[in-house]
Amino acid sequence: MRIRSAVPAVLAASALSVSLLAASPATAAAHQGGLHLGYIQFDSPGSDTRSNSSLNAEWVNIHNNSGSAIQLKGYKLKDNTGYTYTFGSYKIGSGKTVKVRTGKGTNASGVRYWGRGSYVWNNTSDKARLIKPSGSLKDSCSWTNSNPGYKSCH
Ligand SMILES: [Ca+2]
């Protein structure tokens, strides 16, 4: 009976912390991780021809919903096979998104190129991992072929 009566207090406490989070900046409610994986276009639209434009139509968004800019140097993206993209120096502003395209291209604000000559994200099932420079996992997102070629990881 003592345990049972304690439960409502725990629930009330967690409800309180959730409402406090929701009351902070609007974007904070969507994801509490600050830096996280967003939308992933894991199946390049159309035939997978391996052309550079098709490779670049396969991409991952990383979103920073923390309140400050984050230096991504040393952060990694990794798939189930172990293919790894390591960020060079790139500062992602608060509320900003950076897109990592699979193929080759010239890095610019908001877009980085993995530089691969073949696809990285499997169409059937795979898991994207965002790994901090320390090696610890920051975020992950998985999908199967029941997803329509893309996955919204929020
Ligand atoms: Ca395709």
Side-chain angles (χ1 to χ4, degrees), residues 43-48 123:
D43 181 4
S44 177
S47 299
D48 289 351
N123 294 348

Side-chain angles (χ1 to χ4, degrees), residues 75-79 81-86 114 116 120 131:
Y75 273 80
K76 292 177 166 66
L77 271 176
K78 196 171 187 179
D79 78 338
T81 309
Y83 292 126
T84 304
Y85 171 80
T86 303
W114 196 313
R116 291 176 52 85
V120 60
I131 300 166

Side-chain angles (χ1 to χ4, degrees), residues 46-139:
S47 299
D48 289 351
T49 61
R50 283 199 179 195
S51 69
N52 194 52
S53 61
S54 177
L55 289 167
N56 280 331
E58 184 191 79
W59 45 264
V60 170
N61 274 350
I62 295 168
H63 186 60
N64 176 13
N65 68 1
S66 77
S68 52
I70 297 172
Q71 173 54 253
L72 293 181
K73 186 176 172 63
Y75 273 80
K76 292 177 166 66
L77 271 176
K78 196 171 187 179
D79 78 338
N80 268 349
T81 309
Y83 292 126
T84 304
Y85 171 80
T86 303
F87 277 89
S89 183
Y90 184 83
K91 190 175 272 190
I92 182 171
S94 172
K96 299 295 187 184
T97 298
V98 62
K99 179 172 290 185
V100 179
R101 296 186 184 273
T102 298
K104 297 175 174 68
T106 303
N107 289 336
S109 181
V111 60
R112 305 277 104 178
Y113 291 88
W114 196 313
R116 291 176 52 85
S118 58
Y119 301 96
V120 60
W121 307 114
N122 290 352
N123 294 348
T124 48
S125 69
D126 209 341
K127 182 177 182 180
R129 298 160 183 79
L130 179 63
I131 300 166
K132 297 169 78 170
S134 65
S136 67
L137 186 66
K138 179 63 180 166
D139 194 14

